[in-house]
Amino acid sequence: VVEATSLSSGTRIKGFIACFAAGILCSLLGTLLLWVPRKGLYLFAVFYTFGNIASLGSTVFLMGPMKQLKRMVEPTRLIATIMVLLCIALTLCSAFWWHNRGLALIFCILQSLALTWYSLSYIPFARFEEIFLKGRCEEVFCCMSCITYGRFCKALEGMVDGSSWTVL
């Protein structure tokens, strides 16, 4: 497997944009196909899942396949990665193998939640464990608000000494 660094930076960005756009297009197409009589939910599950796989795979163009795989199994996002892959597999199984529309829809919803959790694992201090298990919800949202308005938080100090976060 060739690392993405063998591609020029322009080619990597174009590949990322194309793959991500194809993923969004598949997800949107799946949403439109949801309303097709009798087969709509199955088509939705398949297109939505392939769209999510393409969007997730688009980052391979930015960091390379091996680095992407290494980052996916880091301890901070291993559980989220497993949940995403499990939800993708269960969505496809419920659509093709079990032929159960209700399960397909439930697994599509769980797939969205798992992908959100996985995406948040790349944002420092926005991980599931930091927010919910350590009771830092208001601090994380305060920090995100500070970043949005162009101010910076001393989040690391707050995490280390247990004090509240302060805005610079």
Side-chain angles (χ1 to χ4, degrees):
V1 178
V2 179
E3 287 289 325
T5 53
S6 64
L7 302 172
S8 71
S9 60
T11 303
R12 287 186 286 152
I13 292 187
K14 288 175 189 172
F16 167 75
I17 291 171
C19 197
F20 192 75
I24 290 173
L25 183 66
C26 279
S27 295
L28 290 174
L29 183 60
T31 303
L32 293 175
L33 291 173
L34 181 62
W35 307 111
V36 172
R38 294 192 323 203
K39 295 288 182 184
L41 188 58
Y42 300 122
L43 292 171
F44 166 71
V46 170
F47 276 95
Y48 185 76
T49 299
F50 288 145
N52 284 336
I53 291 170
S55 296
L56 190 62
S58 67
T59 57
V60 169
F61 286 100
L62 296 179
M63 64 179 85
M66 294 310 294
K67 190 172 183 181
Q68 172 73 15
L69 288 174
K70 287 177 187 175
R71 293 186 93 191
M72 288 176 77
V73 296
E74 286 177 351
T76 55
R77 67 184 58 90
L78 180 61
I79 296 172
T81 301
I82 291 169
M83 292 303 296
V84 168
L85 297 176
L86 183 65
C87 287
I88 286 172
L90 291 173
T91 300
L92 294 175
C93 284
S94 64
F96 289 123
W97 192 11
W98 304 323
H99 302 288
N100 189 324
R101 292 176 178 207
L103 277 179
L105 186 59
I106 289 170
F107 289 131
C108 280
I109 292 167
L110 290 175
Q111 196 179 126
S112 296
L113 294 173
L115 279 167
T116 301
W117 180 15
Y118 175 81
S119 299
L120 285 174
S121 74
Y122 282 94
I123 301 170
F125 307 111
R127 296 185 183 105
F128 176 80
E129 298 86 9
E130 296 295 333
I131 295 172
F132 296 105
L133 298 182
K134 294 183 180 174
R136 296 197 179 269
C137 294
E138 69 278 350
E139 294 173 353
V140 169
F141 293 119
C142 170
C143 187
M144 288 179 174
S145 150
C146 294
I147 292 169
T148 303
Y149 293 111
R151 297 176 291 181
F152 298 97
C153 294
K154 289 196 251 180
L156 188 57
E157 288 181 10
M159 292 300 290
V160 172
D161 66 9
S163 64
S164 62
W165 296 3
T166 57
V167 179
L168 289 174

